[in-house]
Amino acid sequence: MAAPAGVSNTHAGEGKLRRDVGFWGLMFVSLGSIIGSGWLLGALHAASAAGPASLLSWILAAIIMSVLALVHAELGAAYPVAGGTARFPLFAFGSVAGFTAGWAAWLQAVTLAPIEVEASIGYLDGVPWIKQHLDLLHPDQTLTVSGIFWGSVLMVIFLVINIVGVKFLSESNTVTVIWKTLVPLLAVIVLVTVSFHPGNFTAGGGFLPNGVDGIFAALPLGVAFALQGFEQCIQLGGEARNPQKDLSRAIITAVAIGTVIYIALEVAFIGSLNPADILHNWNNPISGQGATAPYAALAVGAGAGWLAFILYVDAFISPAGTGLLYLGTSARLSYALGRDGQLPKRLGKVSLRGIPLWSIILAFVVGEIMFLPFPSWQSLVGVVTGATFIMYAYAPISLYALRKRDAGRARPYRLPAMKFLAPVAFIFANLVIYWGGFDTTWKIIAAMVVGVVIFEITQVFTSPVQRVVQHWRSAMWVPPWLLVTVLIGWLGRYGGGLKLLPDWIDLLVVAAFSLVIFYWGVSVAMTSEEVNAAVEKEALELAVEPEIRTA
């Protein structure tokens, strides 16, 4: 296709984000992000919190994710830019709101690569030979010096693959995802066939041993974490070959496949537990070494040692594949923030190979640092989930505002019943943040404040001509939203809250507050002229042959 008017094709393929990724590559990027360490460990943590009712946790999470995925499907197809989750709010609310959304997205994405590495190392430490010769974990399941070293080796491999280029990244990921989709299905078939106890679904206090609170509490303990990731193909929107056609289909397909696999895995997990371990409660469905390698332990207990071997191999491939993707997509987010002048502009440049090199290097360095304060999988899952749903919350309010302010834009996919589903999606995102608990929420909001400080410092050291316009009026709803969210968590029933809000009343408070913020935010969105100007700045990237600054 010819370049847009005014854009030269003289150096086609140099200094550009290349549109090399087709439908299957996009779908596998999202599915590969969904099926990571969550399937290896999510079922155990969900069952510990909710018992057999954890099945309802997965169904609830699937409903929440499906609605949010449909929102992202419309935005991604209408605005196919790199780091889309950071830039949709920028189009609707300007630079401040866009930065806070992008910062939340970057926080969760840049942390996920080391989390997946930690999950892989934790599982492999259960192999006797590895435990004896490498000793990757301390008794409290945190990384040893040896564990940090081998985790760093994996991170270097991720770095090299991402530097090679996005086409190789998507093609290598496709092979990996096919493998890590088949292995969970194999585990389900074997465990259900060989070792299945229907009585487990009413053991240890019945189907609902910890009440409704257990169902909600399970979401931030691994359920929501496992199903997140559908938006990763959105981050590659600027590199999609046919984004208007492929992005929405890729998102919806990935969420559907991931949901079916995870629900089947939870059924197989609960049914295969030793009934003696859950006779009285669900506090420790699997104890000892099985706590870091639950499915492998179940396979050994069922006499399927060969399956345990496959699971240990997959314990490397599944998390490593997801970590590889997140190193790349977090780089696209910092690229987007740098390109829009919200972080140092060097992050917004691409090399002559068509990759955001400086952003990839930054993601690698920060990922390495994360091994030190958060040396275990569980220590970061809640934080990452909260940051993810803050990121997700920006999408429905941006969609509603852009439908009003940018009504003439072609939308290859349109969210049905948008006036109903968009505010519902915003409520869903805020509920997951609330269920994550006060102890987690205040830390995330503190990190958001740090991000805003970095944003303002960047502006101080940017020449006046190049500084971004700070649309504080359009973002006036963001500080009250985040601060009152912390307050509700403090008064609430989860993660260190005071439990002053009764059951169900707390959910109504979250929903009502969410609606107030939602419609307030939509009402103060930028004008149609300002939205058009913000989108027009990205006209070249939205085109098939984008011209990007070179490093």
Side-chain angles (χ1 to χ4, degrees):
M1 180 173 178
V7 177
S8 172
N9 270 333
T10 305
H11 301 289
E14 293 185 1
K16 304 173 183 178
L17 288 176
R18 299 181 181 179
R19 291 192 177 274
D20 286 335
V21 189
F23 165 75
W24 290 106
L26 292 168
M27 194 279 289
F28 281 125
V29 163
S30 283
L31 184 59
S33 299
I34 291 171
I35 304 176
S37 62
W39 95 260
L40 295 169
L41 300 168
L44 170 61
H45 293 289
S48 299
S54 55
L55 291 172
L56 300 181
S57 302
W58 288 103
I59 292 172
L60 176 59
I63 293 170
I64 291 172
M65 290 299 191
S66 296
V67 174
L68 287 166
L70 293 176
V71 169
H72 282 79
E74 174 171 335
L75 287 169
Y79 305 94
V81 292
T85 52
R87 293 162 96 176
F88 306 144
L90 183 145
F91 294 157
F93 302 104
S95 59
V96 174
F99 174 79
T100 55
W103 183 253
W106 186 79
L107 284 174
Q108 64 91 25
V110 79
T111 308
L112 268 158
I115 284 181
E116 297 300 306
V117 168
E118 289 174 348
S120 181
I121 288 175
Y123 226 88
L124 292 177
D125 194 63
V127 178
W129 186 92
I130 292 178
K131 181 67 176 176
Q132 179 181 356
H133 291 87
L134 299 182
D135 190 25
L136 303 174
L137 293 182
H138 291 296
D140 63 356
Q141 310 305 323
T142 58
L143 295 178
T144 63
V145 173
S146 174
I148 293 176
F149 169 78
W150 288 107
S152 299
V153 170
L154 274 179
M155 292 289 290
V156 170
I157 294 173
F158 298 167
L159 175 68
V160 171
I161 293 177
N162 274 277
I163 288 176
V164 168
V166 68
K167 185 175 182 180
F168 180 75
L169 172 64
S170 67
E171 290 175 351
S172 62
N173 175 66
T174 298
V175 176
T176 301
V177 174
I178 291 173
W179 160 273
K180 64 182 191 176
T181 301
L182 293 177
V183 171
L185 293 176
L186 176 64
V188 169
I189 293 170
V190 172
L191 292 176
V192 169
T193 303
V194 176
S195 175
F196 194 78
H197 309 283
N200 287 357
F201 291 87
T202 55
F207 180 76
L208 203 65
N210 296 324
V212 175
D213 281 350
I215 296 174
F216 298 147
L219 267 71
L221 293 179
V223 174
F225 174 82
L227 281 174
Q228 71 183 31
F230 63 80
E231 79 287 350
Q232 291 310 302
C233 69
I234 294 291
Q235 317 299 19
L236 299 180
E239 293 150 284
R241 187 180 304 128
N242 190 353
Q244 288 81 6
K245 176 182 177 182
D246 292 340
L247 280 172
S248 59
R249 294 191 302 141
I251 292 173
I252 294 168
T253 303
V255 170
I257 294 173
T259 297
V260 171
I261 290 174
Y262 276 118
I263 291 176
L265 281 165
E266 189 72 42
V267 170
F269 177 82
I270 294 173
S272 300
L273 291 171
N274 182 348
D277 291 337
I278 53 174
L279 184 61
H280 303 293
N281 57 60
W282 287 80
N283 294 341
N284 294 294
I286 295 181
S287 57
Q289 191 62 44
T292 60
Y295 283 104
L298 291 177
V300 171
W306 60 271
L307 175 60
F309 174 78
I310 293 176
L311 290 172
Y312 280 120
V313 173
D314 185 66
F316 172 78
I317 294 177
S318 286
T322 303
L324 169 66
L325 288 174
Y326 272 99
L327 183 69
T329 53
S330 62
R332 270 65 183 180
L333 287 162
S334 55
Y335 158 81
L337 294 172
R339 187 171 189 274
D340 292 326
Q342 297 166 324
L343 287 178
K345 288 186 175 295
R346 182 167 291 276
L347 296 174
K349 297 179 180 181
V350 296
S351 71
L352 295 180
R353 292 183 58 85
I355 60 169
L357 179 61
W358 289 105
S359 285
I360 290 174
I361 292 173
L362 175 65
F364 168 76
V365 171
V366 173
E368 281 289 290
I369 293 172
M370 286 294 176
F371 284 136
L372 300 178
F374 302 105
S376 70
W377 187 84
Q378 191 59 40
S379 64
L380 261 182
V381 165
V383 174
V384 171
T385 300
T388 300
F389 278 84
I390 288 176
M391 173 190 74
Y392 285 163
Y394 279 95
I397 193 169
S398 298
L399 173 60
Y400 202 111
L402 288 170
R403 279 272 196 108
K404 292 169 66 72
R405 302 290 199 270
D406 194 24
R409 177 163 296 277
R411 299 177 185 274
Y413 171 81
R414 296 179 70 89
L415 175 70
M418 188 276 298
K419 291 185 177 181
F420 171 74
L421 287 181
V424 166
F426 189 72
I427 292 172
F428 281 166
N430 282 282
L431 283 172
V432 176
I433 296 167
Y434 169 68
W435 290 326
F438 171 71
D439 287 343
T440 297
T441 304
W442 78 261
K443 295 173 186 175
I444 300 168
I445 303 308
M448 296 289 290
V449 173
V450 170
V452 173
V453 171
I454 294 174
F455 169 76
E456 293 295 345
I457 291 174
T458 299
Q459 300 314 305
V460 169
F461 287 95
T462 300
S463 67
V465 176
Q466 294 183 315
R467 286 176 191 166
V468 299
V469 177
Q470 298 191 32
H471 302 86
W472 277 103
R473 180 187 176 279
S474 300
M476 66 171 62
W477 56 276
V478 175
W481 167 46
L482 297 177
L483 294 176
V484 176
T485 294
V486 175
L487 175 62
I488 294 174
W490 181 55
L491 299 174
R493 307 181 57 79
Y494 301 90
L498 299 178
K499 299 187 177 181
L500 297 179
L501 296 175
D503 271 333
W504 301 109
I505 298 299
D506 56 342
L507 305 189
L508 291 176
V509 169
V510 173
F513 173 66
S514 298
L515 289 176
V516 170
I517 292 296
F518 184 90
Y519 289 109
W520 180 23
V522 170
S523 71
V524 299
M526 294 195 302
T527 65
S528 296
E529 292 75 16
E530 290 173 316
V531 170
N532 289 334
V535 175
E536 187 63 27
K537 286 180 63 178
E538 311 301 332
L540 296 180
E541 188 177 345
L542 287 166
V544 173
E545 286 285 341
E547 193 74 24
I548 308 294
R549 296 184 301 274
T550 58

